[in-house]
Amino acid sequence: MDSLPNGNSAAASPPQNTTPAAAGGTTPFPKLTQLTEALKLEHQFLRVPFEHYKKTIRTNHRAVEKEITSVISNVADVSDSENFSKDDAVNHLTSLVSRLQGLKRKLEEGSRTEHLQAQKCRARLNHLESADAENLAEWNNTRVKRILVDYMLRMSYYETAEKLAESSNIQDLVDIEVFQEAKKVIDALQNKEVAPALAWCSDNKSRLKKSKSKFEFQLRLQEFIELVRGENNLRAITYARKYLAPWGATHMKELQRVMATLAFKSNTECTTYKALFEPKQWDFLVDQFKQEFCKLYGMTLEPLLNIYLQAGLSALNTPYCYEDDCTKEDPLSQESFRKLASPLPYSKQHHSKLVCYITKELMDTENPPQVLPNGYVYSTKALEEMAKKNNGKITCPRTGLFINTLDAVTFDVSLPCIDK
């Protein structure tokens, strides 16, 4: 068995809870195995706050470095210049001292923020280490709430997510602050504003460049399109020279296509260029931002709720689930679950199971299947009930064939079979 998160292997201590048959201690406790496997799926749970913590440190470091460099440069200018009078030099140095005092306040505020984020990372580590077989039900309950909060945040139900996190006292175990950062950019893009998104790109420039992201380029293209839409052609050309030209080496075809809008205008009927002026381009930018945002923080692109549901549905996914006569007890009879399961492969069934087409009941040794002359299989119970109602006659519900009960052949359920 794999080692537990605290470094102790399952064999290092006796099972906390065993059945009488496992009194010898040789059979691992199922819940412990389940817990160990569950903890392997908590990568995002630790990665997101850690990435947020690193980002805060980088931001604070850049701000300090920029301010210190500016102050040192100004001090050097004062010391080297012969044009400064004594009073001017004193006033200049006093302003520099004020700037340094302001920097000190920023550093103190940044230090508090870093401390809070470090505490959040520690809280999550403690939460994972606290998981054991005895409190597994409570731990799983907290986990479900975390997954629900994650889903609500991704679906933009921010207030509901905050209330659930607060009522469950799991604020340190969810990523509300991170998603609120994304919300500002998403709201701006939905209002057709690119400034917050460009500021976000600037803050994360090195990491976006490392991942070869095109998001900033797409934002610049959209801003150019909006200038063309407003018939500000001169401003659009100036903008293109300043912000789009640097991308020419790697995105020339896209640049050529966008630059052609200067000639075709926003009311063009040419499909190639008309698409660039459609409102759905802003929806595309929102989706692209969400993808880049998730990559940056090491999040899954799909909500955790969808991933866990798909893991369960993959065991239930069979061709029969998509037929009109699928039983209502099957989760895949619901359209929402079918949509989630549609990209999944069908489950591998090691043991064939026959379900009666008429009664929807399982066919086994007590209710054996019977094969009609036309090859269709039904349960003995269904055929007997049909025969009683029709004076010993049977009608195949799928082909309309009339036969006697004696014409049906009992099928041996111990043999490999395929449900028809």
Side-chain angles (χ1 to χ4, degrees):
M1 181 179 292
D2 294 332
S3 296
L4 297 177
N6 61 8
N8 298 325
S9 67
S13 59
Q16 307 254 337
N17 198 352
T18 57
T19 59
T26 57
T27 304
F29 185 48
K31 285 188 178 180
L32 194 58
T33 304
Q34 178 187 353
L35 177 61
T36 305
E37 294 300 318
L39 291 175
K40 293 179 181 179
L41 303 175
E42 297 295 347
H43 176 263
Q44 175 177 314
F45 182 62
L46 294 176
R47 174 81 183 273
V48 174
F50 181 63
E51 291 294 339
H52 197 206
Y53 181 42
K54 287 200 302 181
K55 181 184 176 183
T56 302
I57 293 174
R58 285 195 300 268
T59 302
N60 291 340
H61 177 73
R62 282 198 299 267
V64 171
E65 194 175 48
K66 182 179 179 181
E67 196 70 19
I68 292 293
T69 301
S70 177
V71 169
I72 293 174
S73 176
N74 286 330
V75 170
D77 291 342
V78 172
S79 62
D80 295 339
S81 177
E82 298 178 356
N83 298 326
F84 276 99
S85 66
K86 183 178 179 180
D87 291 339
D88 290 339
V90 169
N91 291 335
H92 195 70
L93 291 175
T94 301
S95 68
L96 292 178
V97 170
S98 299
R99 287 180 64 180
L100 288 174
Q101 289 174 341
L103 177 61
K104 181 183 177 182
R105 288 191 294 272
K106 288 181 181 179
L107 283 173
E108 290 173 349
E109 184 180 348
S111 178
R112 285 193 295 270
T113 303
E114 290 176 15
H115 180 67
L116 290 173
Q117 291 177 355
Q119 279 186 326
K120 181 171 284 192
C121 292
R122 170 51 58 187
R124 298 195 181 194
L125 285 171
N126 292 340
H127 175 69
L128 293 180
E129 290 178 349
S130 69
D132 56 42
E134 292 183 355
N135 70 343
L136 185 59
E138 180 183 352
W139 193 85
N140 279 335
N141 185 43
T142 302
R143 187 185 197 188
V144 169
K145 291 177 181 177
R146 288 196 287 112
I147 292 171
L148 288 174
V149 170
D150 173 83
Y151 181 82
M152 292 173 187
L153 290 171
R154 290 174 185 260
M155 297 295 109
S156 301
Y157 302 126
Y158 298 102
E159 292 183 6
T160 307
E162 288 178 15
K163 289 180 180 179
L164 176 58
E166 185 178 351
S167 63
S168 305
N169 195 27
I170 56 172
Q171 292 95 325
D172 286 341
L173 306 181
V174 293
D175 304 306
I176 293 177
E177 291 180 5
V178 174
F179 279 97
Q180 283 176 337
E181 175 189 335
K183 180 179 183 295
K184 296 175 183 177
V185 177
I186 292 171
D187 289 347
L189 290 175
Q190 290 174 341
N191 291 327
K192 298 184 168 77
E193 299 174 9
V194 299
L198 288 172
W200 182 84
C201 290
S202 178
D203 291 341
N204 301 280
K205 189 171 184 178
S206 60
R207 298 194 64 194
L208 290 173
K209 185 178 180 180
K210 187 176 179 180
S211 65
K212 298 181 180 179
S213 169
K214 292 173 53 179
F215 181 56
E216 182 180 353
F217 175 62
Q218 296 293 343
L219 290 171
R220 296 293 184 186
L221 290 183
Q222 189 62 40
E223 202 162 27
F224 176 84
I225 289 293
E226 294 306 314
L227 289 172
V228 175
R229 191 198 306 274
E231 297 185 355
N232 297 314
N233 289 357
L234 291 178
R235 283 184 60 194
I237 293 171
T238 304
Y239 183 90
R241 287 173 177 169
K242 184 176 181 179
Y243 295 110
L244 296 181
W247 297 87
T250 53
H251 301 87
M252 181 55 70
K253 288 185 178 180
E254 291 163 280
L255 277 178
Q256 290 173 338
R257 181 188 176 200
V258 169
M259 293 301 296
T261 57
L262 289 168
F264 282 89
K265 308 296 183 182
S266 60
N267 58 356
T268 180
E269 292 300 321
C270 181
T271 306
T272 302
Y273 304 103
K274 183 179 180 180
L276 296 174
F277 293 98
E278 292 181 353
K280 68 179 181 181
Q281 291 295 323
W282 289 99
D283 297 331
F284 168 73
L285 287 176
V286 170
D287 291 338
Q288 192 170 6
F289 168 72
K290 289 179 179 179
Q291 291 181 17
E292 297 295 343
F293 185 81
C294 289
K295 280 186 193 175
L296 202 68
Y297 282 101
M299 298 180 184
T300 58
L301 297 180
E302 285 286 320
L304 291 175
L305 181 62
N306 288 5
I307 293 173
Y308 282 104
L309 285 174
Q310 285 180 326
L313 292 173
S314 64
L316 305 174
N317 197 26
T318 63
Y320 174 72
C321 297
Y322 298 91
E323 295 183 6
D324 294 337
D325 57 345
C326 177
T327 58
K328 298 302 180 184
E329 291 80 8
D330 190 336
L332 285 167
S333 63
Q334 301 181 35
E335 190 58 36
S336 55
F337 283 137
R338 285 182 175 181
K339 186 177 179 181
L340 279 174
S342 59
L344 302 176
Y346 293 128
S347 63
K348 182 180 179 181
Q349 302 290 340
H350 292 281
H351 302 285
S352 298
K353 293 182 179 179
L354 288 172
V355 177
C356 181
Y357 179 86
I358 300 173
T359 64
K360 310 303 180 188
E361 295 178 0
L362 189 67
M363 292 183 277
D364 51 24
T365 53
E366 296 184 1
N367 183 27
Q370 294 198 20
V371 184
L372 301 186
N374 59 3
Y376 285 97
V377 179
Y378 304 100
S379 67
T380 301
K381 180 180 177 182
L383 295 180
E384 288 178 350
E385 289 179 354
M386 187 185 297
K388 287 180 181 178
K389 295 177 181 178
N390 298 289
N391 299 320
K393 297 288 185 181
I394 296 174
T395 304
C396 177
R398 285 183 278 192
T399 65
L401 177 68
F402 287 96
I403 59 172
N404 295 315
T405 51
L406 296 177
D407 294 332
V409 179
T410 303
F411 195 77
D412 186 355
V413 293
S414 63
L415 296 175
C417 52
I418 301 174
D419 185 5
K420 297 186 69 176

